[in-house]
Amino acid sequence: MSVPEVLAGLRRAEREAGRSAGSARLVAVTKGHTLDEIDMHILAHGAFPLGESRGQELRDKSTLRPELEWHFIGPLQRNKVKYLNRVTLIHTIEAVWQAEAIAQAAQGWGHAPDVLIQLHNGEPQKHGVSAHDLPATVNAVRATGLQVSGVMVIAPDMAAGADPTGILRVFQETATRAHDLGLSELSMGMSADYPLAVQAGATLIRVGRSLFT
Ligand SMILES: *Cc1c(COP(=O)(O)O)cnc(C)c1O
């Protein structure tokens, strides 16, 4: 697939969900791909935010191409915070200390990224805060001065036996939790499951593999 094919699939999913065209935006996940590949496969088709999940790789690419819009979508370790100075949105805040570290670093950067809180999806070994802890986490992250604009979730893995019904339910529950807290940005859906995420209200889909193959 390619960017035009994924965009066509996105527009179709919006239409089928009764949503307006463009209400879900593509975040092009570019981890593991060179800047040349990104130019050829992604940016030739338009301007899209680029999602990176590894600290050093993000630093290297965003330093060379600071004019592009960079999002961080990976697990955030303390020693990686310094690589996020060109990021406009962090999708994966799952602990208050991460927000405190970003807010502190942002004072030196002179600007702060917005953040999403990652919700746990119920699978063992997965990242994110529980639904129970979400409201308190949102409040504590806001207290650092960062802007919390929404919620992110990674669906249970189809390869590990999750079925579309269960995945849709996780997306719908995530949308409900975000809505209950007045949070509008919903980062959910990847190559395998983004139509379900759009059906449930995703505003940002994070698609990687499908854009390059
Ligand atoms: C790699 C990655 C994606 C993209 O997944 P694809 O299956 O390549 O579309 C989305 N979200 C996160 C957090 C990722 O690490």
Side-chain angles (χ1 to χ4, degrees), residues 5-85:
E5 287 172 289
V6 169
L7 288 178
L10 185 51
R11 297 292 94 89
R12 188 180 328 116
E14 286 170 336
R15 217 166 35 241
E16 287 171 1
R19 300 179 50 181
S20 57
S23 57
R25 281 198 301 150
L26 170 65
V27 176
V29 176
T30 47
K31 61 177 181 238
H33 291 280
T34 65
L35 287 165
D36 281 347
E37 290 170 330
I38 295 170
D39 279 327
M40 187 162 43
H41 292 278
I42 310 294
L43 300 172
H45 301 286
F48 301 94
L50 306 176
E52 290 283 336
S53 57
R54 302 172 192 139
Q56 278 101 334
E57 189 178 343
L58 169 69
R59 174 199 58 194
D60 293 347
K61 291 176 177 174
S62 65
T63 302
L64 287 166
R65 300 292 293 279
E67 78 284 8
L68 301 177
E69 183 180 351
W70 298 98
H71 289 189
F72 187 68
I73 64 168
L76 179 54
Q77 289 128 17
R78 194 177 287 281
N79 60 348
K80 304 285 166 62
V81 167
K82 58 180 179 286
Y83 302 147
L84 272 51
N85 60 325

Side-chain angles (χ1 to χ4, degrees), residues 46-177:
F48 301 94
L50 306 176
E52 290 283 336
S53 57
R54 302 172 192 139
Q56 278 101 334
E57 189 178 343
L58 169 69
R59 174 199 58 194
D60 293 347
K61 291 176 177 174
S62 65
T63 302
L64 287 166
R65 300 292 293 279
E67 78 284 8
L68 301 177
E69 183 180 351
W70 298 98
H71 289 189
F72 187 68
I73 64 168
L76 179 54
Q77 289 128 17
R78 194 177 287 281
N79 60 348
K80 304 285 166 62
V81 167
K82 58 180 179 286
Y83 302 147
L84 272 51
N85 60 325
R86 298 191 192 281
V87 165
T88 57
L89 184 67
I90 299 174
H91 292 231
T92 41
I93 295 293
E94 54 178 328
V96 177
W97 70 259
Q98 295 172 323
E100 289 168 348
I102 294 289
Q104 189 180 5
Q107 301 204 333
W109 300 337
H111 58 90
D114 287 351
V115 300
L116 309 178
I117 310 298
Q118 183 171 357
L119 199 57
H120 192 267
N121 70 8
E123 282 186 321
Q125 311 293 325
K126 284 287 161 75
H127 287 272
V129 305
S130 68
H132 176 267
D133 290 340
L134 183 63
T137 304
V138 169
N139 285 336
V141 171
R142 283 199 173 126
T144 69
L146 295 181
Q147 173 81 29
V148 179
S149 48
V151 175
M152 177 270 209
V153 77
I154 298 175
D157 197 349
M158 287 209 205
D163 64 1
T165 311
I167 291 172
L168 180 61
R169 191 166 55 239
V170 167
F171 288 150
Q172 287 170 332
E173 284 172 3
T174 301
T176 301
R177 309 263 178 219

